[in-house]
Amino acid sequence: MMEEEIEPLVRFEGVGLRYGRNPEVLSDLNFSLPAGSFHYITGATGAGKSSLLRLIYMGVRPSRGSIRLFGQDVTRFSRKNLPLIRRRIGIVFQDFRLVDHLSVFDNAALPLRLEGRPRAELREHVLELLSWVGLGDVVDQFPPALSGGEQQRLAIARAVINRPALLIADEPTGNVDDRIAERLMRLFEELNRLGTTIILATHNDSLRASFPHPSLILKHGQLKYSGEGYVEDRSHMTMAWDQVEKTVLSAMELGRKAVNPEAIKPRDARHELHQIHHGEMENQFDWNEP
């Protein structure tokens, strides 16, 4: 009796990506990642790491090929269907995308408020996580008052607060010291142990050596692999790539508002999180209709 094949959580088949009429920044990507795995994405600056992450979290539609997430071909999705999948994904953006007029506590709590959970019920959980990432003493402050490293840790707390099925992190330890980086990596590994699939982009070789996991290695917009094999090497089929990856992730411009954070309602949280996470802000996501 043949065993039923288990659908990978992420599968790319013949995927290419170009911005406008420029040459492809990613070419002929063929790989799959099983549920519950932990993978690094690494490569030199401009190799395409952020663009690959954008494809995985559906921040941009591929120019060609097929992407399957959670068993569904998302390349065929319309924009209105994307939130159904994105709710299962936690994202740590390289530019953080915090909400400046919300406190540290309320930024971290946004995904839980989106689920309709009252502030009193989630308070202990949020405070515990903020303490773990070293923000326990600044819960009532606002993002502009934080250092870059503190903002990064807050972005991580928000991404993991509701135990997503898939966590995508773009250089999540880039602005923190070694002690905090190790603490954050232990948090990621614990989430992975509990079942969350982790995809982490980094150029920190010492970090990968200290916390060894398989790596997807990008070079000139093409994938190589280090670890237990999931990548199909079709490099002989790839197109020439001679352009450094564009900087396409723009920072959120939410502006300041005179809002009492205590007065946030679930509907308000839903609006804020949709702006950050579901691409309703102009130019945040390039998901043209198929």
Side-chain angles (χ1 to χ4, degrees):
M1 183 175 179
M2 295 182 62
E3 293 185 5
E4 184 178 351
E5 183 179 356
I6 299 176
E7 176 83 21
L9 190 139
V10 178
R11 184 193 293 275
F12 276 49
E13 295 180 344
V15 172
L17 175 66
R18 62 163 40 93
Y19 296 112
R21 298 182 179 180
N22 295 299
E24 286 191 327
V25 296
L26 295 170
S27 299
D28 290 304
L29 303 184
N30 295 279
F31 68 93
S32 59
L33 305 178
S37 61
F38 190 130
H39 285 80
Y40 294 112
I41 296 176
T42 187
T45 300
K49 297 188 295 295
S50 292
S51 287
L52 177 53
L53 294 184
R54 293 189 83 209
L55 286 170
I56 297 172
Y57 68 69
M58 300 171 295
V60 62
R61 190 187 293 278
S63 305
R64 58 188 175 91
S66 170
I67 300 175
R68 295 182 65 84
L69 297 176
F70 302 103
Q72 301 185 64
D73 185 353
V74 298
T75 51
R76 299 179 180 273
F77 275 25
S78 64
R79 180 182 287 269
K80 68 179 181 180
N81 295 133
L82 297 183
L84 299 175
I85 295 290
R86 287 206 184 111
R87 291 190 188 112
R88 304 175 68 182
I89 302 174
I91 308 171
V92 181
F93 295 101
Q94 199 169 26
D95 56 5
F96 313 142
R97 303 191 190 183
L98 302 172
V99 185
D100 284 353
H101 66 272
L102 298 185
S103 69
V104 167
F105 180 95
D106 285 310
N107 264 280
L110 270 177
L112 299 179
R113 299 302 299 275
L114 180 62
E115 296 173 357
R117 294 172 61 176
R119 183 184 176 94
E121 177 184 318
L122 56 83
R123 181 174 178 80
E124 182 178 356
H125 180 44
V126 174
L127 290 177
E128 181 181 8
L129 179 58
L130 288 174
S131 178
W132 175 261
V133 299
L135 297 176
D137 295 332
V138 295
V139 295
D140 295 321
Q141 294 192 29
F142 294 82
L146 304 180
S147 68
E150 288 171 330
Q151 291 185 28
Q152 188 163 41
R153 282 178 272 157
L154 177 54
I156 291 170
R158 183 182 63 192
V160 306
I161 191 73
N162 62 343
R163 290 261 307 274
L166 172 62
L167 176 66
I168 299 169
D170 194 356
E171 300 285 358
T173 61
N175 291 309
V176 299
D177 60 32
D178 291 343
R179 181 181 63 85
I180 294 296
E182 181 178 343
R183 195 171 182 85
L184 293 175
M185 287 302 300
R186 291 207 304 270
L187 173 63
F188 294 147
E189 290 200 323
E190 177 63 15
L191 283 169
N192 181 242
R193 188 185 68 80
L194 295 172
T196 296
T197 302
I198 308 288
I199 303 174
L200 192 157
T202 183
H203 62 271
N204 189 328
D205 291 337
S206 63
L207 188 74
R208 291 193 296 131
S210 299
F211 298 89
H213 295 283
S215 295
L216 301 175
I217 303 171
L218 277 169
K219 186 175 182 180
H220 301 314
Q222 302 169 17
L223 268 181
K224 308 297 179 184
Y225 193 80
S226 172
E228 302 167 3
Y230 297 106
V231 172
E232 299 174 43
D233 186 359
R234 301 186 185 179
S235 57
H236 60 287
M237 299 170 57
T238 56
M239 298 176 62
W241 187 92
D242 59 0
Q243 178 179 321
V244 173
E245 177 189 15
K246 286 186 171 183
T247 303
V248 294
L249 298 177
S250 58
M252 297 289 285
E253 294 293 341
L254 292 175
R256 300 289 188 88
K257 301 176 185 177
V259 174
N260 177 5
E262 294 288 334
I264 297 174
K265 301 176 181 178
R267 185 176 64 180
D268 301 321
R270 184 176 297 110
H271 174 67
E272 300 291 1
L273 197 60
H274 268 276
Q275 286 185 313
I276 298 165
H277 196 55
H278 299 325
E280 291 184 353
M281 295 294 287
E282 185 178 3
N283 296 327
Q284 289 302 304
F285 294 92
D286 301 325
W287 196 264
N288 299 320
E289 296 302 320

